[in-house]
Amino acid sequence: MTGLAALFLILSGCAALAYQVVWVRLLGLTLGSTAASVSTVLAAFFLGIALGSALAPRLGARRDLLRVYLTLEAVIGVSGSILLYVLLDLDRLIAALPFEHVAFEFTFTFLLLLVPTVCMGASFPVLASHVLRRPGQIGSGLGLLYAANTAGAVIGAALSGFWLIPRWGLDGANLVAAGLNFTIVALGAAFARAGFLSPPGEEPPSPAPDRIALPAGRATSRPRDRRAALLVLAVTGFSSIATEVGWTKYLVLFTGGTVYGFATILTVFLAGIALGSWAVRSRLDAIERPRTWLVGGLIALGLSLLLTRGALTFLPDALELVNGMEGGRVPRLLARFGVVAAVLSAPTLLFGALFPLTLSVYCGGATGVRSHLGRAYAVNTVAGVLGSLCAGFWLIPRYGTNALLTATALGTLLLALLLVSGIPSPRTRFAAVTTTLVGCAIAWIGPALSFEELIGAVRYPWDEAARSGVRPSFLYLREGRTGVISVVTYDGRTARLQNNGLNESIVDLDGTGGDSLTESLLGLVPWLLHEDPRSCFVVGYGGGVTVRALERTDLERIRVVELEPTVVEAVRSVWGARSGLDDERIELVYDDARHDLLVGEGGYDLVVSQPSHPWLAGASPLFTEEFFRLVRSRLSEGGVCGQWLNLFNMDVTTLRSLTATFYAVFPHGFTLAVPESGDLLFFGSRYPIRIRPDLLETRMTSPGVERTLSACGIRDRVDLLRRFAWSRREAVALSAGSRRNTDRNVLSEVRLAALNLRRDAAPPAAEDPYAFLRDHASFDLEPLVEAGAAPRVLTEVAERLIELDERRDARSALERLAHFDVEQAAVLEERLVARGRARAPDPRFPE
């Protein structure tokens, strides 16, 4: 029967982890992806589990525990299926609520998740109480069942991250999880009818109240060892989750902040715990001195945490080796998985071994399993929630990841010192104290983590400076709540704002070289197009270039919503007054932009979105159809949206998907291209967009705007229009038949995260986004200019391109001009040929 129970717990653990991944992501879409919001959701999830564990003893008093367990699994499956559709449509409810606050968000989330999470928390203790009734098998049984449940979580983490979500999306993963719950119910009912799940014989009556019979027939003091075990459960629960947060903070620079990177870390963490529980299970019933084993386990855990901190310092070298690997996605993914597993194996194995050991000491016999197991689980879970909150909100932001990892190791060693007095042997006590003091010395003199070294080892194929092997100079480096923010320079002239080593903005250090063309146009083009713009909403502050460009316009209100406060601090630290935030019209808000738009009043004339990259877990929801619909609903009459999109680390399938997604929401618009920096700019509106030459000239010549555009190489409206790529009607035709990127299928995140793993492997010609742009870009300006003005505008653009000797783009403009004026197109074609001068070809746009 224990084997069948283990099977059920594997399936149940797999389902629970899949639910957790899906629900946290879906709630993040509505409540936001700030550190506070994510921590609130996780706290609500795990506190529901803790409450279920605490209530388990009451359920354990029932006679038919198998029926109780199967009912719990059925309720999880039903409520989990219903909750999916509630979460998918949660935006409307949140937008209608009259107030928002962290306490309200926690209460709201807790109530939403209450039914399934309480049932999850109660399921393990109830099933264990049904199975573990024979004396002498309590410890090994707990070890086996806990290992099985955690192994299921490992499978759930791996399946969710590597297969279910990439293949079937969030809703598909949720439905598979519900199917696992119903499978447990069906199997359980079938085996129960066949008599395979009948409870074993009861153990003999419990001993006197002041003594407790432990699995091998030993006797020990009930209060003393149970208090010690409960303290160990609390401390290891706190330190395990706190260290997981710290490890993730550092390892994500190695694995990448993608669905695959986070899945790798979580899978390794849970696998180590499962293996540790499995390895120790056979010895639990033969342990004669539980206090000695608890102290020894804590000392070994503390030392392993310190050694792991030291091992993490070698990650920069490991990253260099992985970057130099030949092959495709799978070898690189396996290499990362192997490195993470090697680094985390010792402490995770010990976390896994200590938990069933401590449970067996705390619970004692089978009666103790029914009465105490749920309470022990609840204490461990609540401590884990506190560890997560303390690490994310206090220890890392204030003291850093290195201090967090050191503190958890020292806390574990200090607990061992507190418990050492209960060891009967003086020699053992002396050895324990000596080893603990050695561990404290290691914490003091051991190597510390270096984010500089690890960030310096990050290599992306589209970043030529980083790939050169030259180490950058750091102008700023600090751990934020959502990432490690740095500002680096390779040449002393330009600086790169980075999040986890990934470029977010490139800004001239002294201001003489001009700001980024892409970021400047993202803000200014919507302003140039709108009839009478007064207000603007900016998604993401970045390097401040877009905000600085908007500051030089006549806008009356500019609301900037930035997720990470450390980004703004970095820009202010390096660029000072050039941060663009001193203007009284600018309102800076630290929040998730999607959440701010959802709960805000809207009515913006302009919305410009410059989030991080669409393959990153926190940024991908800002490239979905649901987000674009939210933006559209917050625009005023005549409002214009500007959206940035990368060409680097992109494939044609995803590019067509994102193009189809944007223009399915906005019935009017066009696309500009800046291929030299690998960028596209989408512009859309609910209302017809008209490019009026007179209005463009007037606004582009206003002093601040003219200075900004001139520094970027834009002299007049013709220089702007020569960046034209597609009209909306062309974009729709080019993306016809493509799947749209949605909150459910997370297409851009999954595909581009996989593409990022290939690194140096060149994409097939059919998936090269630069070739796609080169082959399909045109100058379909007719829908955007006044009737009859297209030939004149196309002539101006073609003449400028001929002047700049941009031959391929000039021919595209002439082909379009020939639709209106064949003779003029022929004249300009002769001029192009007459120049007879070939420029050096751009490797991305070969002639």
Side-chain angles (χ1 to χ4, degrees), residues 269-281:
F269 180 81
L270 293 173
I273 292 176
L275 288 173
S277 301
W278 175 267
V280 78
R281 79 194 188 289

Side-chain angles (χ1 to χ4, degrees), residues 537-561:
F537 185 98
V538 183
V539 178
Y541 177 68
V545 174
T546 299
V547 173
R548 192 156 55 247
L550 290 167
E551 177 200 16
R552 294 167 180 170
T553 68
D554 59 357
L555 287 168
E556 297 174 356
R557 179 192 176 204
I558 305 171
R559 183 176 178 87
V560 183
V561 182

